[in-house]
């Protein structure tokens, strides 16, 4: 009986030491988040981008207005010529109609081109701003010792599926991807 108690005590002590060792080795995972929409609202780079975008929109609108006025003038002249059709030749009518159609097509094309250029401009610059935010979040994370930084928005709920890991210190936390794949693949 004494031997059994001794073995039990040694086993308990050994188990406790192993448990304490495991706990001591476990690292605390630190997580932070940023309100992405808050940063977009308050980041001077985004404010400058909005000003540049507004300026570009005004330039495109001015160019469109010029073409639209030309189209309206040509269309009015064409409509006027249709009232006195007896004084017009088919060539002059067709010429005026062609000019109206060309100006309309030019106005439409200018508007399409402007929209495309603005979208491309915004896409490139939003990507640049997101990279700047990511770099800043990484820098703060390294300074403060965070292992993960998530993005979040004011409208998100606790169960929001749109959280994005913005930064991770991959070496700090074990990668369990293979184990998850084994379960998913039924192995």
């Amino acid at each position: 009986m004494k031997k059994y108690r001794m073995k039990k005590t040694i086993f308990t002590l050994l188990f406790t030491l192993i448990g304490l060792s495991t706990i001591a080795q476990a690292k605390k995972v630190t997580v932070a988040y940023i309100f992405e929409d808050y940063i977009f609202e308050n980041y001077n780079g985004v404010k400058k981008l909005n000003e540049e975008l507004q300026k570009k929109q005004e330039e495109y609108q001015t160019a469109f207005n010029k073409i639209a006025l030309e189209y309206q003038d040509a269309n009015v002249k064409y409509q006027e010529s249709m009232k006195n059709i007896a004084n017009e030749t088919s060539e002059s009518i067709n010429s005026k109609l062609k000019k109206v159609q060309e100006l309309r097509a030019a106005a439409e094309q200018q508007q399409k081109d402007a929209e495309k250029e603005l979208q491309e401009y915004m896409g490139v610059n939003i990507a640049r701003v997101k990279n700047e935010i990511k770099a800043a979040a990484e820098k703060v994370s390294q300074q403060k010792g965070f292992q993960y930084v998530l993005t979040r928005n004011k409208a998100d709920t606790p169960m929001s599926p749109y959280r994005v890991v913005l930064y991770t210190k991959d070496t700090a936390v074990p990668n369990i991807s293979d184990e998850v794949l084994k379960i998913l693949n039924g192995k």
Side-chain angles (χ1 to χ4, degrees), residues 52-68 106-107 109-122:
E52 291 171 2
L53 178 65
Q54 182 142 4
K55 184 178 177 182
K56 284 186 174 293
Q57 286 174 328
E58 289 170 2
E59 290 171 3
Y60 289 136
Q61 188 63 46
T62 300
F64 176 77
N65 289 345
K66 182 180 176 186
I67 293 173
Q109 188 62 46
Q110 193 275 341
Q111 189 172 17
K112 286 178 187 177
D113 291 345
E115 288 173 3
K116 182 180 176 185
E117 287 177 29
L118 286 172
Q119 286 177 349
E120 288 173 358
Y121 179 80
M122 283 302 294

Side-chain angles (χ1 to χ4, degrees), residues 36-179:
E36 192 173 43
D37 49 0
Y38 171 79
I39 289 175
F40 268 87
E41 290 170 7
N42 294 290
Y43 177 36
N44 290 334
V46 172
K47 291 176 184 177
K48 183 179 176 186
L49 177 60
N50 284 335
E51 290 170 3
E52 291 171 2
L53 178 65
Q54 182 142 4
K55 184 178 177 182
K56 284 186 174 293
Q57 286 174 328
E58 289 170 2
E59 290 171 3
Y60 289 136
Q61 188 63 46
T62 300
F64 176 77
N65 289 345
K66 182 180 176 186
I67 293 173
L69 283 174
E70 289 179 36
Y71 164 71
Q72 286 176 348
D73 288 344
N75 194 29
V76 167
K77 288 178 184 175
Y78 174 73
Q79 296 299 325
E80 290 291 323
S81 69
M82 295 306 292
K83 291 179 184 175
N84 297 321
I85 199 162
N87 298 334
E88 298 286 333
T89 64
S90 61
E91 289 176 359
S92 67
I93 292 172
N94 287 338
S95 173
K96 290 176 185 177
L97 178 60
K98 184 177 178 183
K99 182 177 182 180
V100 169
Q101 290 172 339
E102 287 173 351
L103 287 171
R104 181 178 178 180
E108 290 173 353
Q109 188 62 46
Q110 193 275 341
Q111 189 172 17
K112 286 178 187 177
D113 291 345
E115 288 173 3
K116 182 180 176 185
E117 287 177 29
L118 286 172
Q119 286 177 349
E120 288 173 358
Y121 179 80
M122 283 302 294
V124 165
N125 283 290
I126 292 296
R128 177 186 52 79
V129 166
K130 286 190 173 200
N131 284 335
E132 290 171 359
I133 292 169
K134 183 178 179 181
E138 185 174 341
K139 186 175 182 179
V140 170
S141 299
Q142 291 170 346
Q143 290 171 350
K144 303 259 184 190
F146 295 118
Q147 294 165 323
Y148 293 95
V149 176
L150 307 174
T151 61
R152 192 174 166 197
N153 288 307
K154 294 175 188 173
D156 288 350
T157 63
M159 298 304 287
S160 178
Y162 303 110
R163 303 257 169 92
V164 175
V165 176
L166 195 59
Y167 169 78
T168 179
K169 186 176 178 183
D170 288 330
T171 59
V173 178
N175 179 354
I176 60 169
S177 300
D178 290 332
E179 290 84 358

